[in-house]
Amino acid sequence: DAGITQSPRHKVTETGTPVTLRCHQTENHRYMYWYRQDPGHGLRLIHYSYGVKDTDKGEVSDGYSVSRSKTEDFLLTLESATSSQTSVYFCAISESSGGRQETQYFGPGTRLLVL
Amino acid sequence: SQKIEQNSEALNIQEGKTATLTCNYTNYSPAYLQWYRQDPGRGPVFLLLIRENEKEKRKERLKVTFDTTLKQSLFHITASQPADSATYLCALSSFSGGYNKLIFGAGTRLAVHP
């Protein structure tokens, strides 16, 4: 998994509680991404980061926030978890190549169940 | 609206045959297209990238074609093996906000039978 770890790997939580997922990389890649994967929808981008403290929203960012205080760590927070956020969450990284990031390398995923 | 379509039904083929998976898109003009493989319970793994000015790309038993007029990519696995059984995702580049992002299709599951 290209030097990417995600924690926790599995989590069960209750509606209304905050949840933080962590992505850690050892590749020193500039770009980091959070996706969610749901049946029939494929991977959808939640947020991404193009450097330390530089983040932006993806297509499904409502209810999520992110932070990146170090190159190696990208945190995804569900501010108040809802059942619709039950999903598998993947972190990905990519390096810059001529100013354009291309291939993405994915972590093993976090399976989140919100009851 | 922008849309990526991959066959939602599983593709079942016999070992040794060529598997062909399709990715169609509308309202995109991607600079490049990628194919990823995903095994159950794991993250996607990059396989091939093809650029808009390339018609075909090969890597070992894999071949990808990219037709920007038809807005279609075909992904071929020749001499398929049971170990090729997995879900295959196509992803298109989308440039916005100064950065390239990938837009993924929902994937097609391939099952190769001995």
Side-chain angles (χ1 to χ4, degrees):
Chain A
D1 291 322
I4 309 169
T5 55
Q6 292 185 232
S7 58
R9 293 293 314 280
H10 302 271
K11 185 166 182 70
V12 180
T13 191
E14 293 187 349
T15 298
T17 59
V19 175
T20 295
L21 308 182
R22 180 181 183 238
C23 177
H24 178 78
Q25 60 146 328
T26 57
E27 306 295 324
N28 200 36
H29 282 7
R30 177 182 175 188
Y31 301 96
M32 298 185 77
Y33 312 83
W34 276 108
Y35 292 90
R36 60 179 289 174
Q37 187 172 38
D38 305 288
H41 285 278
L43 286 157
R44 291 181 292 173
L45 183 64
I46 306 171
H47 282 279
Y48 65 101
S49 170
Y50 44 93
V52 173
K53 292 190 167 54
D54 291 324
T55 65
D56 205 350
K57 296 178 180 179
E59 68 173 302
V60 290
S61 59
D62 286 349
Y64 301 95
S65 62
V66 289
S67 66
R68 191 167 177 201
S69 58
K70 297 185 288 187
T71 298
E72 57 266 34
D73 289 325
F74 193 30
L75 303 181
L76 176 71
T77 297
L78 287 64
E79 292 138 12
S80 177
T82 67
S83 58
S84 65
Q85 293 176 312
T86 292
S87 187
V88 180
Y89 291 86
F90 287 100
C91 173
I93 63 175
S94 66
E95 59 184 334
S96 178
S97 173
R100 300 169 63 188
Q101 358 58 283
E102 297 176 344
T103 303
Q104 293 187 14
Y105 301 93
F106 285 81
T110 293
R111 192 170 292 271
L112 176 67
L113 174 61
V114 183
L115 299 175
Chain B
S1 63
Q2 296 174 320
K3 202 172 177 183
I4 302 173
E5 287 184 343
Q6 294 187 255
N7 285 350
S8 57
E9 291 184 13
L11 177 64
N12 290 283
I13 65 166
Q14 211 63 30
E15 182 176 8
K17 301 291 187 186
T18 296
T20 299
L21 284 68
T22 305
C23 176
N24 295 301
Y25 60 93
T26 56
N27 297 323
Y28 281 110
S29 293
Y32 55 84
L33 183 149
Q34 299 181 4
W35 284 87
Y36 287 77
R37 169 184 172 139
Q38 186 173 23
D39 291 288
R42 307 198 65 158
V45 174
F46 170 76
L47 295 176
L48 280 167
L49 178 152
I50 186 165
R51 301 188 188 281
E52 60 183 336
N53 60 347
E54 297 174 318
K55 295 281 190 214
E56 182 179 298
K57 205 78 167 285
R58 290 175 186 261
K59 179 183 174 183
E60 298 173 352
R61 293 185 296 111
L62 309 180
K63 184 178 87 171
V64 173
T65 63
F66 192 11
D67 188 326
T68 56
T69 302
L70 289 179
K71 295 188 181 295
Q72 181 181 77
S73 174
L74 298 179
F75 177 78
H76 306 273
I77 305 175
T78 58
S80 58
Q81 304 164 1
D84 295 325
S85 299
T87 295
Y88 292 85
L89 311 174
C90 105
L92 278 61
S93 65
S94 175
F95 188 79
S96 66
Y99 299 96
N100 269 316
K101 290 172 272 292
L102 288 178
I103 310 297
F104 284 84
T108 298
R109 190 162 59 86
L110 172 67
V112 181
H113 302 283

